[in-house]
Amino acid sequence: MISDGKFGKYGGIFVPELLIPALEELEAAFIKYKDDKNFNVELDYYLREFAGRPTSLYYARNLSEKLGCKIYLKREDMLHTGAHKINNTLGQGLLAQHMGKKRLIAETGAGQHGIATAVVGALLKMPTEVYMGSEDVIRQKLNVFRMELSNAKVLPVDNGSRTLKDAINEALRNWISNVEDTHYLIGSTMGPHPYPTMVKHFQSIIGRETRKQIMEKEGVNPDVIIACVGGGSNAIGIFSEFIEHDEVELIGVEGGGNGVNSGKTGATLSVGSEGVLHGSLSFVLQDDYGQISEAHCVSAGLDYPGVGPEHAYLKVTGRAKYVAITDKEALHGFKLLSQYEGIIPALESAHAIAYLEKYAEMRENKGKTIIVNLSGRGDKDMFLVAEKMGDEL
Ligand SMILES: *Cc1c(COP(=O)(O)O)cnc(C)c1O
């Protein structure tokens, strides 16, 4: 490997020796193609014509008036398949094709990353298999159907808690025995090096567009950027262009579940501790013996007991701040954006909206310019939200 893939002490490559050659091959290809002109012309073409980039930086006038701040929304919800995940699946899919790989595998929790991988598999004519916990296969029937419609094969995983973390383990296992012809397309800034760096690279388009757009609209950097954090890819994507601008406050919002001290939470950085999960050192939710705990959060995208290693680094160095929003508060955020702006956010993004309201209500923050990364749209969450809110509307 050329790099050890560390962010401070976090990250790294904690995998069985059998996987090292595959990770070396992937790192070499990533380094070769990330600045390659033809590769980027092709990727830009698909991002524009297939996925719908650039997304707008939308001034949320009604919410700005209500909260007494200048609020902009980065509209990743407008992308094909409904979220930022397509930025990464297009990037990695194309890279796999350039590497001569014939087959894609992926993990998925709720199915969002599975769908974003499946459509890229269809687009690039690469057979695609998606590992999904059998519990999630039942809970997310409609998304299974969507993946299958785009030719992907969904493989239910019956191990452990039968959810996302078990699906990742199974995908890693399959990759070990098929590295010759297969690319494992990881869906967030997690996993062993080079994934956290590579996924950040493909998601940094969000930050580059945002910086250009805010400069055109305001002529200065925003005061603060707020983004939800599951594995951390949409947050790192928008943070990336601003990390070196110290005056910009960066805030990641985790899924608090029933509350950070309730034992039913997804707030890894808020209440987790250092540990190794899925190939890298970061913060994890674990018991006293180092066994990984189950995460809990109303939104599947934030329901993960780990977090990308760069976020661990940004937290301990103090460059970014991490907060948690409960399920209940997220549902309030979901309603708030829908009612004030006519934009229905994904439940994940609704966590960022809920924190936006808290932030804007602090007296010292009045009048600030705030950018919220609206990572996805809420169509996928309709049934769940209807069930949870009942007559409350
Ligand atoms: C998957 C998902 C997330 C969480 O993933 P990150 O890697 O933390 O960005 C957030 N928002 C939406 C809409 C998602 O689909």
Side-chain angles (χ1 to χ4, degrees), residues 82-85 112 187-189 228-235 301-302 346 348-349 375-377 380:
H84 68 290
K85 290 200 169 73
Q112 292 304 112
S188 188
T189 42
C228 65
V229 176
S233 69
N234 88 84
L302 306 186
E348 291 84 1
S349 325
S375 55
R377 59 173 172 255
K380 68 184 177 63

Side-chain angles (χ1 to χ4, degrees), residues 85 109-112 136 139-140 164 228-231 234 253-258 264-267 295-305 325-331 334 345-352 375-378 380-382 384-385 388:
K85 290 200 169 73
Q112 292 304 112
D136 291 333
R139 284 193 294 203
Q140 307 288 343
L164 177 61
C228 65
V229 176
N234 88 84
V253 185
E254 297 191 296
N258 290 357
K264 286 192 174 288
T265 183
H296 289 273
C297 178
V298 67
S299 79
L302 306 186
D303 198 3
Y304 177 60
I325 282 292
T326 65
D327 289 355
K328 203 166 164 229
E329 291 169 326
L331 286 166
F334 188 90
L347 267 177
E348 291 84 1
S349 325
H351 285 71
S375 55
R377 59 173 172 255
K380 68 184 177 63
D381 297 314
M382 281 299 134
L384 184 66
V385 173
K388 298 256 174 208

